[in-house]
Amino acid sequence: MPLMEFKSTREGYGDALDELGQSHANIALVCADLTKSTESHKFAQHFPEKFIQIGVAEQNMAGIAAGLASTGMTVFMTSYAAFNPGRNFDFIRTQICYSNLNVKIIGSHAGFSDGGDGATHQMLEDVGLMRSLPNMTVLSPCDYWEAKKAIYAACKIKGPVYIRLYRESTAVITKKAGPFEIGKWQTLAEGNDVCIIGHGPVCAEALLAKEKLQEKSVSAQVVSACSIKPLDTDCLLALANSYTKLLVVEEHQKACGLGSAICEYLADKHPVKVTILGANDVFGQSGKYHELLAKHKLDAKGICASVLELLEEKNST
Amino acid sequence: MPQHKSHVHAQNSYILDLEKIAVELRQDVVKMLLSAGSGHSAGSLGLADIISALYFHILNVNPKSPNDPQRDRFVLSNGHTCPVLYAALAKKGFFERSLLKDLRKIDSPLQGHPHMGSVAGLDFTSGPLAQGLSFAVGLALAGKMAANLYRVYCITSDGELQEGAVWESAMFSGNKRLNNLTWIIDRNNIQIDGYTEDVMPLEPLRAKIESFNWHVLEINGHNMEEILSACDLAKNILERPTAIIAHTIPGKGVKEMEYKFEWHGKPPSKELAQQALQELRTLEGQIESDYD
């Protein structure tokens, strides 16, 4: 791969929020003692009158966010995904989603990107929790630029949005220019033998896998499914028409993530074989980010091997 | 509250009016619960006097402009007692009284627990305990941020205080000195499984709340003058938020239910409802008052 820039999705959020603070008078930010590590500090420094330090109290934070939003504010509510929505799910469900309030829930350090903290601080169940809630939109950007655009898009719509972010600096694989729309997926690389659908920084691993596969004369399409809810059903149907087998890669439990959402839709509308790469009903552990990805076969090597297995299966049937 | 007596005495007719409204709210609660066939009797009846005081004297709310940004906000965190709130909203004119019979019925806006916006004047969602106070804190904070002078009133139950999240909100508002927030605790000493001091003791409650940097008042939650005086005084406590521990009798007004935790989550039978309405009718105009 050519020389790449590495930046985190949480930085994309922090930069976007700081910019939005300039143009939107009605934004407030609530944070539970993780201002710097969630990249919320720029907004907090530039707009101290709109920043509310909650302390380590994620449930109270969600209730306060709902109260603020009910008066017409757009409220960003930030912590680690393990606690927000991990800790405060009931408050999000009842106070924010059931009341359909304009709160943007930022869950950073999702997936395995927790800086070695281990299973307690990793979050592999948040997509399932959030996508099962009525009124909720769920976004999981693949890189810095997609994160920035996702924050802008979330700010534009009324109602609750969950945005899943990652701690790690990962390859910037999309461009500053180019559209972003909630409910629309982005093809990162064209192909015609197999399709890999991912969300989050594992999309960069999928692109690296594509290069390895090319050496074996396999052409893979790679799609970033940032919009997990709503799904891009037009794109998904087109993919199901073009390919008999899809590979979904995600830093999430195989149960109830993007792969499950895709299966729920396609099982009814256009059944094809879907294989999901993710945490297989296990907790994470401490370790370097890439070691953890490798352990769960979510690195380029693991994805490449899974694609070849999938194609083998195809050839043998 | 002797210091307020002369003031109250001069205008005691409105005290009597508020007491009368409380009886009417209780009658509505009994009818609604009977019609619904399920629901929470004890807390709904016990709060009738406080709800009457709030909606017919204290709160600056107007059914003609239910979304006025300047309006006072009310949050009933113990959402299971919402029948008495619905009765008050209907009486105030936020929606048709005929809706009351649809409590808990399919497709009714009067859900078993309050859902924000399902009827005009309903500014919050509640049910899972402890959430209402955090929502009220958000409202109070928004008022401060917008330099809007509305006040926020939040009622919680007492059993609810066993939820840790209540104390997150108490700590936050004490530290932020949210003097536009009044927290009323319905201290009726019961919860589903028994008496609070048997299930999980809350005492010393006043000291607990004071240690979170709140101003605390204690009142008889069925004495209209005390309710009004305490809410009035809370407006003048500028350096911290005010909590009012309102000592109430669960099931107040229906002898068969009074003081009994068994009536926390039950509606009356048809026979008991008839008896209760009879009792409440004879009570009308005879609720204990110094100025009667």
Side-chain angles (χ1 to χ4, degrees), chain B residues 169-185:
Chain B
S169 304
M171 186 183 288
F172 181 92
S173 16
N175 289 337
K176 294 277 178 188
R177 298 172 181 275
L178 294 177
N179 58 12
N180 55 349
L181 175 62
T182 303
W183 170 20
I184 301 169
I185 296 151

Side-chain angles (χ1 to χ4, degrees), chain A residues 185 197 231-241 243-248 258-275:
Chain A
W185 292 351
I197 307 174
L231 291 171
D232 184 348
T233 50
D234 290 344
C235 177
L236 188 52
L237 278 179
L239 293 174
N241 268 313
Y243 304 98
T244 52
K245 297 181 178 184
L246 303 173
L247 182 71
V248 180
L258 170 69
S260 296
I262 286 174
C263 291
E264 286 158 17
Y265 185 78
L266 289 183
D268 180 42
K269 302 289 180 193
H270 195 306
V272 294
K273 184 178 168 66
V274 178
T275 297

Side-chain angles (χ1 to χ4, degrees), chain B residues 191-211:
Chain B
Q191 56 191 107
I192 296 175
D193 274 359
Y195 297 104
T196 58
E197 300 314 287
D198 292 335
V199 176
M200 181 54 63
L202 301 170
E203 296 299 336
L205 183 56
R206 181 185 190 122
K208 280 191 179 81
I209 300 172
E210 278 174 343
S211 74

